[in-house]
Amino acid sequence: MSTFRASAGTLRVVWQAVLLQVALSRRNPEHTLILLIAPMQTTTMLALTVTSHRPDAVANAVLAPGLIGLWVAALDYAGRIVPEDRWAGRFAPMVAAPVPLGPVVAGRVAMVVVVGAAAFAESWLVAAVGFGRVVAIADPALFALAVAVTCLATVGTATLLSAVLVVSRARDVLQNSLGYPFYILGGILVPVAALPGWLHPFSRIVFLSWSAELLRDAVRGDADGWIGPVAAILALGAAAMAAGLWLTGRYVDRSRREGMVEFA
């Protein structure tokens, strides 16, 4: 019974964090800029595939901006949550509240990730309206499941990134360097099978590699063996979430111990 109450309490905290982020985003919706970038990326990728007469790569060109949108939304915003809260004077009240900071960060990141997921719809519309290429999804149910588990894993990974970036002295450098390496290792720009063999083990610890393959399978209608990729995505996301919550707790404890809660 106590476990159920604790879980329900955590979910309430996460939901309130989502509402908080909605209110903050109304005033300063910087993270929605990805919705302006995704159509440009789709246009560039589709132009390359169309002019090179590669109809088999059209689906990849449409899916890639959606995955990039999720990663950018998480990476760009995750590292700014706590620093912006310090600057705005929100960090001290959050630390003083009788709830852990980790679920609050996770809830706020979740709202941003949902916005980033809209890049999938934008990419599809650009392909259909701008290029006359309607990408048919052979297995819509599997596609929806793939997007859902990818969003969940992105929230978990972004929570970990938030903790890592806030304790790092090179936050800006890390943010700027964690883009394209993950696009490659994640099989976003090209399938993992096209990468050198020695990179495959590294790709498999990046949840995006499983997500990209699952989304492509959904478009092709190849539903065989989908349980393994879904389990891998959820497991990697859960592991990242657990590590992020633990590291965030350690950061809050250190800030209290060293008297740095009020520092901006």
Side-chain angles (χ1 to χ4, degrees), residues 61-107:
V62 174
L63 292 174
L67 290 169
I68 292 174
L70 281 178
W71 184 252
V72 171
L75 178 62
D76 179 64
Y77 187 72
R80 294 190 287 121
I81 288 182
V82 175
E84 286 188 355
D85 283 349
R86 284 184 181 278
W87 180 84
R90 292 188 297 264
F91 184 68
M94 288 182 179
V95 172
V99 295
L101 182 63
V104 175
V105 173

Side-chain angles (χ1 to χ4, degrees), residues 47-162:
L48 291 174
T49 57
V50 171
T51 55
S52 61
H53 305 290
R54 286 289 307 276
D56 59 312
V58 170
N60 291 347
V62 174
L63 292 174
L67 290 169
I68 292 174
L70 281 178
W71 184 252
V72 171
L75 178 62
D76 179 64
Y77 187 72
R80 294 190 287 121
I81 288 182
V82 175
E84 286 188 355
D85 283 349
R86 284 184 181 278
W87 180 84
R90 292 188 297 264
F91 184 68
M94 288 182 179
V95 172
V99 295
L101 182 63
V104 175
V105 173
R108 294 174 63 184
V109 169
M111 202 287 292
V112 178
V113 168
V114 170
V115 174
F120 284 106
E122 284 189 314
S123 299
W124 191 91
L125 287 174
V126 169
V129 177
F131 291 82
R133 302 298 180 93
V134 178
V135 178
I137 301 175
D139 194 336
L142 180 60
F143 188 86
L145 176 62
V147 172
V149 297
T150 298
C151 287
L152 289 175
T154 303
V155 172
T157 304
T159 302
L160 174 59
L161 287 173
S162 175

Side-chain angles (χ1 to χ4, degrees), residues 7 18 27 42 46 58 63 68 78 91 147 161 166 169 197 199 202 208 213 224 228 230 238-239 246 249-250:
S7 300
V18 170
R27 302 177 185 176
T42 306
L46 278 173
V58 170
L63 292 174
I68 292 174
F91 184 68
V147 172
L161 287 173
V166 78
R169 296 182 179 180
L199 280 178
F202 298 99
L208 291 170
E213 288 185 2
D224 295 337
V230 169
W246 176 80
R250 290 290 301 271

